[in-house]
Amino acid sequence: MNQRTEFETRSTCCYCGVGCGMVIRSDGEKIISVEGDASHPANLGRLCTKGRTLPLTMANDGRALYPALRASRDEARQRVSWDVALDTAVNRFADIIEAHGPDSVAFYLSGQLLTEDYYVFNKLAKGLIGTANIDTNSRLCMSSAVMGYKKAFGADAPPGNYEDLELADLLIIAGSNMAYAHPVLFRRIEAAKQAHPEKRWIVIDPRRTDTAAMADLHLAINPGTDVALFNGMLHLLLWDGYADRRYIDASTTGFDDVKALVRDYTPKLVADICGIAEQDLILAAKWFGESKNVTSLYCMGLNQSVQGTDKNLALINLHLATAQIGRPGAGPFSLTGQPNAMGGREVGGMATMLAAHRDLQNPEHRAEMAKFWASDVIPSQPGLSAVGLFDAVKSGKVKAVWIACTNPVHSMPDQQLVEAALKNAEFVVLQEAFTTTDTAPFADLLLPATSWGEKEGSVTNSERRISRVRPAIAAPGETKGDWWIATQFAKRLEARLSPLSTGRFEYENTEAIFAEHCLTTEGRDLDISGLSYEILEAKGPQLWPFPKGATEGLARRYTDGQFETADGKAKFHAVRHLGTADKTSARFPFHLLTGRLRDQWHGMSRTGRVSQLLEHVASAAVSMNPSDMERRGIKAGQLLKVSNTRGAILLPVEASDELASGSIFIPMHWNTRFWSEAGVNRLTTAKVDPISFQPELKHAAVRVEVVDLPWQCVAARMGPTEIYLDNLGPLLKKVKFATVTLIGRETPAVLVQFADEKAPEGFIEALDAALSLEASEATQDYVDQAKQIYKRGRWENSQLTGFRLAGETKAAGWLGECVKQGGGWSWPRLQAFAPRATPPNGALTVSKTICNCVGVTDTAIKAAIEGGADFQTLQKELKCGTQCGSCVPEIKRMFLTQPATPVVV
Ligand SMILES: Nc1nc2c(c(=O)[nH]1)N[C@H]1C(S)=C(S)[C@@H](COP(=O)(O)OP(=O)(O)OC[C@H]3O[C@@H](n4cnc5c(=O)[nH]c(N)nc54)[C@H](O)[C@@H]3O)O[C@H]1N2
Ligand SMILES: Nc1nc2c(c(=O)[nH]1)N[C@H]1C(S)=C(S)[C@@H](COP(=O)(O)OP(=O)(O)OC[C@H]3O[C@@H](n4cnc5c(=O)[nH]c(N)nc54)[C@H](O)[C@@H]3O)O[C@H]1N2
Ligand code: SF4
Ligand SMILES: [Mo]
């Protein structure tokens, strides 16, 4: 009998801030499957496409498995031992600190680190080295929300929890595409609305996203006009008598200034600024005023703006004025993006904070932490925050930088700045799980980290709920937990920098770190002194605060109208509309918007390994309103150069009526592994919000021009996709335009297309070598020297396993579909070389997968809708939308564009 032991491990998803609990099944060595944890309060058993496909990301190809070091910039990194790696890092850092002071080094971390990892790094920077130059990608993400909460309520973090989203009568969803970015939470509010159709949703987003398409009212505002909108709504609420004077008097200050300010924000003016109908504004205010419980959900559309903090505050004003806070179903709820954005804030792991929501500039707070950390070097001033940090590396003020669990060369605004900075740095350490990121080439020392399924610790999700992350399998290669790497470095650095006071980093495991972190929170707003691994083990994930003696966490804060400010009152803030940093002009007439796709995660180091996740959207494209295309004579599929003073990128255009005229959209994910360009951040601005220091990643002013590149080449190949992607890297740089994607479920393959003025010298040979498409018994060629057409097919066991079409590529679509579907080849081989866009007998349909879990295509869904099926029938017969539900909004939208054939009786 073939008996296999299966282990079950409870852990948490490593992607978004919903924080879904998972049960991981493994055989001890390999992860076999994952399932949503039905007992986890965040997801109650559900998972989205990204969470469900995590086991498919676990292969060792492309993983950073060993420490690697290079002696100089011209050399390749060589494998070294952990001892050599850590000692080198300590010597380089200590030499620089001794010569130039503690602020000559910096750490750039991530909201994807676990709380324990984060805690050690923060203690190491502020408590041992004595620098506050420790910032994280949360600066690009949550810092405006943090400042909004702190300024209004005196303390960070949302007042409510996920149940409030379901209890609300009105949901305001502002600058958030939850359907893509927080799918499982979106499933929960969808279900709540289905059960109570009288519940209302207002979605505020310049684009008609899948989230907006399901709203009762979609306010497609002009980019960057949220402050005007919220002020306009408050104007109407006050005018119509919806203000709660008792609450305002008892629990807030600053109302009169705001009242005076919003007097100017008349409906007509606001409708003009926002580019919406006055009636819609009036309706939005009316619904806000008359609803019993209002919850506002918001994300990057508010935060990533030079007015990010103001946008948060203007929205919070609405809640304070109407007392929509501190009750079930009521309150402003910032959705966190990364799995541990909250944990990072709790340990104070950023340049502007100290541990446990303390402030660096507060002497009492510093004294408390000095005691905890036995440290006399805690800085009294904030350090450099993300953009400023890389600026300082560029100028040479900061000489060594330690990057962990983030890919700044891709994700920071104005990419050129970060590249220039890292080129100029004396020493760059990168702590990564994969070798394939755009930051990896800049690392002098690469430290291999364990990742999801392998690492241990805890995270806090959007609703302040702390969950355990547990390893299901052993660490591959010589990878180590991030906490371990930070601790080992700290111990050695301590011995060198302060040999008289060693022993502050003697942690045996993550549990010991968590226990120390809990102690630092005692008496603070986020008090978790009553929490431990033991309790999390026994009782499952817990909300904070959870003080000593508590039996459960606090569901809602500020229920008594008391806030964390000095006088206990919440603060109104009178904030004016200023708009975006980049203004559109005759030279740069388009608003470029950036954001997320449903099935990709940031720089794609993990999601880009799974062909299923590239089925929904295969490769880089810019979306544009059809009327703008028509006016400019642009056709779908043409290449556009999108540019401004910072840079230029080339990509195909697709028509989308999700965009208003005058706006275009490019997803943030695409990078040099999948594209000839470095990413949309070539074009974004490094301008930041003056309060939160968060950059305006959501918007840039650009122009577009059609570019015609006559030489085309398309190739596909089944096989080891990570290796093929590695091989293709240099080729993507040799042409003006290229995109790569993964196709195929059973046997994954790469599909790559190139375009240029003419074929670069030796290109076709190099491409064949990169994809193992060299001439052999399995291949057949078609060559037309005169026309410069070079075609090759590769067949194994009467299956098309690869092809390369150069000079003429009409058949690429259906040949690609053959490789993707992996079925038998039923034509004479030479048919592959005919310049025809469809297969000889038309039997092969080219379609797009909509439901990823079951693998249902748009063709199948359209056919069923045409056949008169309703949504429930689709679910029953095709099974689409029955698993994770991520595709439900899109399927529902297909009913609108695809009216069912009327039944004639
Ligand atoms: N699939 C997927 N999910 C993710 C992630 C991922 O990479 N992929 N990342 C996670 C992370 S870290 C984060 S921070 C979240 C982000 O989650 P979201 O913020 O929901 O996602 P985005 O697509 O970045 O931006 C949301 C919307 O803001 C809109 N927007 C742009 N400008 C404005 C404006 O001026 N005002 C308003 N009101 N809206 C505007 C955009 O059109 C976009 O639809 O997602 C998390 N979840
Ligand atoms: N234009 C534009 N730019 C944006 C945004 C946008 O909306 N528009 N959004 C911004 C936002 S909100 C965010 S949060 C950032 C995200 O930007 P990044 O932080 O750069 O995104 P990731 O690709 O998630 O980077 C995380 C890295 O950590 C690695 N990793 C995974 N697991 C582990 C681990 O356990 N340990 C270690 N050490 N490494 C690991 C991954 O391989 C990956 O390379 O992007 C920002 N940039
Ligand atoms: S919603 Fe999806 S990506 Fe987010 S935590 Fe849950 S499974 Fe992971
Ligand atoms: Mo984020």
Side-chain angles (χ1 to χ4, degrees):
M1 281 292 286
N2 191 2
Q3 276 217 336
R4 198 174 58 177
T5 325
E6 275 199 8
F7 301 93
E8 278 193 1
T9 311
R10 263 166 225 280
S11 190
T12 310
C13 178
C14 62
Y15 295 120
C16 85
V18 175
C20 296
M22 316 183 125
V23 180
I24 308 175
R25 288 211 176 75
S26 74
D27 62 8
E29 281 170 24
K30 267 206 166 85
I31 290 179
I32 301 163
S33 65
V34 288
E35 207 171 89
D37 180 351
S39 70
H40 196 291
N43 57 319
L44 309 163
R46 298 177 181 94
L47 293 179
C48 78
T49 42
K50 297 182 295 300
R52 288 169 63 95
T53 48
L54 269 169
L56 300 174
T57 67
M58 300 302 287
N60 275 353
D61 283 351
R63 280 295 298 268
L65 293 170
Y66 309 99
L69 176 71
R70 66 181 172 201
S72 80
R73 285 284 152 90
D74 319 318
E75 288 169 43
R77 285 187 300 260
Q78 304 290 337
R79 180 175 170 178
V80 292
S81 69
W82 271 106
D83 269 334
V84 169
L86 290 163
D87 286 340
T88 307
V90 165
N91 288 334
R92 296 298 300 268
F93 266 67
D95 288 348
I96 291 172
I97 292 165
E98 280 166 2
H100 306 281
D103 289 337
S104 58
V105 300
F107 295 84
Y108 185 64
L109 313 179
S110 165
Q112 293 169 64
L113 286 173
L114 309 184
T115 300
E116 294 77 359
D117 309 333
Y118 237 132
Y119 181 87
V120 178
F121 269 117
N122 195 42
K123 180 174 176 180
L124 151 69
K126 291 173 189 154
L128 172 63
I129 299 176
T131 181
N133 289 344
I134 167 168
D135 216 48
T136 84
N137 60 4
S138 284
R139 186 68 60 190
L140 316 180
C141 182
M142 301 315 305
S143 55
S144 297
V146 172
M147 291 317 293
Y149 279 139
K150 280 176 87 161
K151 284 176 95 67
F153 306 145
D156 183 20
N161 64 62
Y162 289 164
E163 274 172 15
D164 292 320
L165 280 55
E166 295 162 330
L167 294 171
D169 304 296
L170 172 67
L171 281 182
I172 305 272
I173 306 176
S176 146
N177 184 8
M178 281 182 83
Y180 280 18
H182 297 88
V184 165
L185 203 49
F186 194 71
R187 297 284 89 75
R188 285 182 61 168
I189 62 169
E190 245 173 17
K193 191 158 160 54
Q194 203 155 22
H196 297 278
E198 70 283 2
K199 284 181 189 290
R200 286 166 174 156
W201 294 2
I202 301 176
V203 172
I204 302 164
D205 194 310
R207 293 191 301 143
R208 201 198 63 232
T209 57
D210 271 12
T211 310
M214 292 183 69
D216 299 282
L217 178 62
H218 172 209
L219 301 175
I221 57 168
N222 290 328
T225 61
D226 303 79
V227 171
L229 177 75
F230 298 142
N231 284 353
M233 285 172 69
L234 189 56
H235 173 108
L236 284 159
L237 284 167
L238 300 185
W239 185 260
D240 291 332
Y242 285 117
D244 187 328
R245 212 51 241 210
R246 268 230 315 258
Y247 187 83
I248 293 171
D249 290 342
S251 298
T252 74
T253 59
F255 176 67
D256 292 341
D257 289 346
V258 172
K259 189 177 166 192
L261 174 86
V262 302
R263 207 170 283 144
D264 298 341
Y265 285 80
T266 59
K268 166 100 187 50
L269 176 79
V270 169
D272 274 357
I273 295 174
C274 298
I276 57 173
E278 206 175 316
Q279 283 320 306
D280 286 348
L281 170 69
I282 293 169
L283 190 61
K286 178 168 177 283
W287 285 0
F288 200 110
E290 71 186 20
S291 297
K292 194 158 160 270
N293 297 306
V294 185
T295 290
S296 293
L297 304 168
Y298 48 99
C299 207
M300 292 308 117
L302 297 202
N303 294 347
Q304 286 172 344
S305 151
V306 284
Q307 272 211 288
T309 308
D310 289 353
K311 286 183 176 189
N312 275 263
L313 289 168
L315 178 58
I316 291 172
N317 283 345
L318 293 175
H319 284 266
L320 291 177
T322 52
Q324 286 290 0
I325 183 167
R327 283 197 319 277
F333 193 105
S334 140
L335 293 164
T336 53
Q338 298 180 90
N340 200 29
M342 292 282 276
R345 286 141 74 170
E346 287 151 28
V347 303
M350 293 174 80
T352 40
M353 312 168 171
L354 197 48
H357 290 181
R358 288 181 178 84
D359 289 321
L360 279 168
Q361 280 141 306
N362 181 323
E364 271 168 50
H365 288 180
R366 280 203 309 279
E368 284 164 13
M369 286 319 298
K371 226 164 102 192
F372 270 112
W373 287 345
S375 165
D376 55 6
V377 296
I378 297 176
S380 60
Q381 291 304 318
L384 296 162
S385 53
V387 173
L389 190 153
F390 283 99
D391 254 335
V393 176
K394 188 178 163 204
S395 73
K397 228 178 102 200
V398 167
K399 297 176 194 311
V401 58
W402 188 300
I403 300 166
C405 203
T406 176
N407 181 15
V409 169
H410 176 253
S411 54
M412 287 277 293
D414 200 359
Q415 280 171 336
Q416 292 88 323
L417 181 136
V418 180
E419 285 179 14
L422 293 183
K423 271 189 198 137
N424 187 49
E426 282 179 26
F427 191 54
V428 178
V429 181
L430 177 64
Q431 194 167 319
E432 246 294 346
F434 298 93
T435 55
T436 53
T437 73
D438 284 345
T439 305
F442 293 89
D444 298 309
L445 177 62
L446 182 69
L447 300 176
T450 49
S451 189
W452 179 86
E454 305 151 0
K455 67 188 295 188
E456 168 138 44
S458 62
V459 289
T460 311
N461 72 1
S462 280
E463 59 167 349
R464 296 176 277 113
R465 192 179 295 281
I466 300 176
S467 296
R468 282 296 314 280
V469 169
R470 297 183 180 91
I473 54 170
E478 288 182 10
T479 57
K480 295 284 187 190
D482 289 296
W483 72 274
W484 184 91
I485 302 172
T487 305
Q488 290 299 314
F489 174 69
K491 275 204 270 200
R492 290 168 200 234
L493 190 69
E494 187 182 47
R496 161 103 186 245
L497 290 182
S498 54
L500 296 180
S501 55
T502 54
R504 290 172 290 172
F505 293 91
E506 296 295 337
Y507 303 109
E508 230 166 77
N509 48 31
T510 56
E511 185 169 9
I513 303 169
F514 188 77
E516 185 175 311
H517 162 56
C518 289
L519 278 182
T520 68
T521 66
E522 197 169 358
R524 308 278 314 149
D525 71 292
L526 75 167
D527 194 333
I528 49 167
S529 54
L531 217 51
S532 61
Y533 273 19
E534 214 178 333
I535 289 181
L536 290 172
E537 199 69 47
K539 299 181 124 190
Q542 295 298 322
L543 293 168
W544 67 246
F546 195 110
K548 259 195 196 110
T551 51
E552 59 180 355
L554 188 70
R556 262 164 226 104
R557 310 166 85 192
Y558 316 132
T559 48
D560 55 358
Q562 281 292 308
F563 292 84
E564 296 286 339
T565 49
D567 60 4
K569 293 189 176 187
K571 304 235 169 326
F572 278 96
H573 290 265
V575 287
R576 275 170 210 286
H577 162 71
L578 301 172
T580 52
D582 269 16
K583 309 285 180 201
T584 50
S585 62
R587 257 184 94 205
F588 301 112
F590 278 96
H591 295 285
L592 164 65
L593 306 174
T594 75
R596 283 156 176 81
L597 294 173
R598 191 189 81 186
D599 290 350
Q600 292 304 334
W601 180 260
H602 302 157
M604 302 168 68
S605 60
R606 194 186 280 284
T607 48
R609 294 156 70 82
V610 183
S611 60
Q612 277 183 36
L613 294 181
L614 281 148
E615 285 180 8
H616 189 239
V617 178
S619 52
V622 49
S623 331
M624 188 182 245
N625 181 285
S627 70
D628 288 339
M629 290 172 62
E630 208 176 11
R631 203 167 312 126
R632 286 163 188 261
I634 300 171
K635 292 197 186 59
Q638 277 187 317
L639 285 180
L640 285 194
K641 180 170 132 189
V642 183
S643 65
N644 58 19
T645 51
R646 292 177 287 271
I649 56 179
L650 213 59
L651 72 177
V653 59
E654 61 183 26
S656 165
D657 52 16
E658 290 181 5
L659 285 145
S661 169
S663 288
I664 60 173
F665 176 77
I666 302 178
M668 66 165 293
H669 309 288
W670 309 111
N671 57 72
T672 61
R673 197 161 172 82
F674 297 90
W675 191 12
S676 44
E677 306 285 357
V680 72
N681 284 329
R682 271 281 179 278
L683 305 175
T684 48
T685 169
K687 295 233 171 75
V688 299
D689 175 300
I691 301 162
S692 67
F693 305 110
Q694 179 157 356
E696 188 154 277
L697 287 160
K698 273 281 159 283
H699 181 265
V702 294
R703 74 159 157 255
V704 303
E705 293 146 88
V706 174
V707 172
D708 187 27
L709 295 177
W711 180 75
Q712 311 263 330
C713 174
V714 182
R717 184 76 170 101
M718 283 179 182
T721 51
E722 287 300 304
I723 293 172
Y724 291 154
L725 287 172
D726 281 346
N727 296 347
L728 285 169
L731 293 176
L732 300 193
K733 292 201 183 90
K734 284 218 172 91
V735 288
K736 288 234 164 83
F737 170 76
T739 53
V740 193
T741 190
L742 302 182
I743 55 174
R745 284 192 168 219
E746 302 304 322
T747 318
V750 294
L751 176 78
V752 55
Q753 37 192 322
F754 304 94
D756 210 326
E757 305 287 351
K758 59 181 178 41
E761 196 72 32
F763 191 84
I764 293 169
E765 295 74 16
L767 175 59
D768 291 345
L771 295 182
S772 303
L773 273 171
E774 295 96 340
S776 74
E777 276 165 18
T779 66
Q780 196 157 328
D781 281 13
Y782 170 90
V783 174
D784 182 339
Q785 289 275 13
K787 292 190 178 145
Q788 298 278 301
I789 293 172
Y790 302 90
K791 300 187 180 182
R792 175 170 292 168
R794 185 183 166 96
W795 287 266
E796 285 155 84
N797 305 323
S798 69
Q799 203 183 18
L800 183 73
T801 58
F803 67 86
R804 174 255 298 152
L805 309 177
E808 192 288 306
T809 61
K810 275 209 189 73
W814 72 269
L815 290 180
E817 199 62 26
C818 283
V819 175
K820 178 175 167 186
Q821 293 181 10
W825 177 264
S826 51
W827 306 278
R829 286 186 176 186
L830 279 174
Q831 291 291 350
F833 305 134
R836 49 187 302 162
T838 50
N841 57 8
L844 198 73
T845 38
V846 179
S847 46
K848 171 184 161 187
T849 305
I850 302 289
C851 170
N852 238 330
C853 302
V854 191
V856 184
T857 63
D858 58 347
T859 317
I861 296 170
K862 276 182 199 155
I865 296 176
E866 272 167 10
D870 61 8
F871 183 67
Q872 278 72 25
T873 317
L874 278 185
Q875 283 188 312
K876 220 164 90 200
E877 289 181 358
L878 298 177
K879 303 275 183 291
C880 55
T882 55
Q883 304 293 312
C884 81
S886 295
C887 60
V888 169
E890 192 165 351
I891 298 176
K892 288 196 169 155
R893 221 158 15 88
M894 289 175 72
F895 277 92
L896 303 176
T897 49
Q898 193 90 20
T901 323
V903 185
V904 184
V905 213

